[in-house]
Amino acid sequence: MTTTTEPREGYARALIELGHQHDDVFVLDADCAKSNYTNRFRDEFPDRFFNMGIAECDIVGTAAGMAALGKVPFANAYANFLTGRGYDQVRISVAYSGRNVKIVGHNAGTSAAQEGATHLPLEDIGLMRAIPDMTVIVPADSCEMEKAVRAAYEFDGPVYLRVGKLKVPDVTTADTPFEIGKAIRFREGSDVTLISTGNMLFETLKAAEILAEKGVSAEVLHMHTVKPIDSEAIAESARKTGAVVTVEEHSILNGLGSAVAETLCEKYPVPLRRVGTKDVFGLSGTMDELMDYFGLRAEPIAATALEAIQAK
């Protein structure tokens, strides 16, 4: 039986662990500490937690100032507002200025569905990916989230970390490797390559099983780092299978699908199909309803893989 866990649980655990190990870790939040689970860090380290109110631009600017003083700030807010309203500050005060700030977008993807359509970010990865020198990490589950938080701290430079709110299936384990910029091969295959990011790894692995029942051998790559993308792993797999499908809980514009398309065009062109949202805004509903509505399930992924194979 598959267990499910909230990614924000892993985020909170790793953040508290870092707080005990390093006194330069500071946390800022946009009056969402209870929802983001940063209240747990606040309770452990009240002198290193700052509630900045619903003021995303101010959060980022303050975090940049802390970084200039040698601190390692984690700036937390809902992903759509932090990357949207705070974009200029992230771009100039953090990235352009070379500040070691960790931008943490919560309530990301369809996990924000119950908050309403305006709160549902399907463009945040694209916005952050476009900023020079920004590293973009999208973990698959709670366990990988813990590793990502620790890796983000160790990484010297700006990082965008995407954190989902609701429970998702646990796919990775403590033994699953994690290195920024390095894909993980979860399944070997010869007919088509399925490349996922974030919590879509679970549905992608299910799609590979559906394809196996049809006699199709699917390779599965998990791309927890969307930027820098592991272009070598993508090209190597494309040479082997001759067709690629990307899977993301995000717009196919400027997200994982775009990053893989750019890589294939430059290194090894093969038929590519992209599963994700298609240039649309989010909707209100439940996470499960939106996953179904946007076609982010194993069956549509498998069907798209067959299309890619046919295009060889």
Side-chain angles (χ1 to χ4, degrees):
M1 182 177 178
T2 302
T3 60
T4 60
T5 312
E6 297 172 358
R8 57 182 174 167
E9 287 278 1
Y11 176 70
R13 283 194 299 270
L15 202 59
I16 291 171
E17 178 184 286
L18 285 174
H20 283 293
Q21 296 171 345
H22 307 282
D23 59 11
D24 58 357
V25 175
F26 281 68
V27 174
L28 304 88
D29 203 291
D31 208 23
C32 301
K34 183 178 179 181
S35 177
N36 297 341
Y37 286 178
T38 55
N39 58 343
R40 302 179 185 184
F41 183 95
R42 177 199 64 199
D43 295 343
E44 293 273 344
F45 313 101
D47 293 339
R48 286 189 270 151
F49 175 87
F50 296 85
N51 179 10
M52 307 298 293
I54 304 174
E56 291 80 12
C57 299
D58 193 21
I59 289 173
V60 177
T62 302
M66 288 182 174
L69 297 174
K71 310 304 181 184
V72 183
F74 285 73
N76 302 262
Y78 282 2
N80 58 324
F81 301 127
L82 188 59
T83 61
R85 293 175 179 167
Y87 184 83
D88 186 57
Q89 284 71 27
V90 173
R91 180 174 177 266
I92 300 300
S93 299
V94 174
Y96 177 79
S97 301
R99 301 304 180 195
N100 187 26
V101 177
K102 315 309 170 185
I103 306 297
V104 187
H106 291 262
N107 227 32
T110 58
S111 69
Q114 294 174 111
E115 305 285 350
T118 59
H119 283 55
L120 200 153
L122 299 173
E123 315 85 18
D124 57 311
I125 295 172
L127 286 169
M128 295 296 99
R129 178 175 171 258
I131 296 177
D133 295 326
M134 179 64 72
T135 293
V136 180
I137 305 175
V138 190
D141 54 24
S142 180
C143 182
E144 189 168 66
M145 184 66 69
E146 292 188 53
K147 298 173 188 175
V149 173
R150 291 190 287 267
Y153 172 82
E154 296 294 338
F155 182 83
D156 185 15
V159 172
Y160 176 63
L161 180 63
R162 197 183 207 225
V163 183
K165 179 179 182 179
L166 303 181
K167 290 183 177 181
V168 298
D170 298 315
V171 182
T172 71
T173 69
D175 295 327
T176 305
F178 183 93
E179 181 181 350
I180 290 177
K182 294 296 182 182
I184 304 172
R185 181 178 288 103
F186 270 82
R187 186 173 180 135
E188 295 276 357
S190 57
D191 296 325
V192 64
T193 301
L194 309 180
I195 305 178
S196 71
T197 193
N199 64 358
M200 294 309 300
L201 174 59
F202 177 75
E203 294 290 340
T204 303
L205 288 169
K206 284 178 61 179
E209 294 174 2
I210 292 173
L211 290 167
E213 293 173 358
K214 299 177 183 294
V216 176
S217 174
E219 180 147 298
V220 177
L221 295 182
H222 172 49
M223 204 67 63
H224 51 67
T225 308
V226 178
K227 183 186 176 185
I229 198 81
D230 191 345
S231 57
E232 293 305 318
I234 294 169
E236 177 186 349
S237 188
R239 289 188 187 97
K240 179 167 58 172
T241 67
V244 175
V245 175
T246 59
V247 188
E248 58 194 312
E249 188 201 22
H250 180 272
S251 173
I252 60 172
L253 303 179
N254 207 27
L256 174 69
S258 291
V260 172
E262 293 159 11
T263 298
L264 292 175
C265 282
E266 294 177 355
K267 289 186 173 290
Y268 197 80
V270 297
L272 168 69
R273 298 293 183 270
R274 296 175 293 167
V275 174
T277 61
K278 309 295 195 296
D279 196 22
V280 296
F281 288 106
L283 300 170
S284 300
T286 66
M287 183 176 180
D288 283 341
E289 287 172 341
L290 264 63
M291 291 281 285
D292 292 338
Y293 179 83
F294 289 129
L296 305 177
R297 296 296 191 187
E299 291 79 5
I301 297 169
T304 304
L306 294 176
E307 291 178 13
I309 293 170
Q310 283 294 111
K312 287 187 186 182

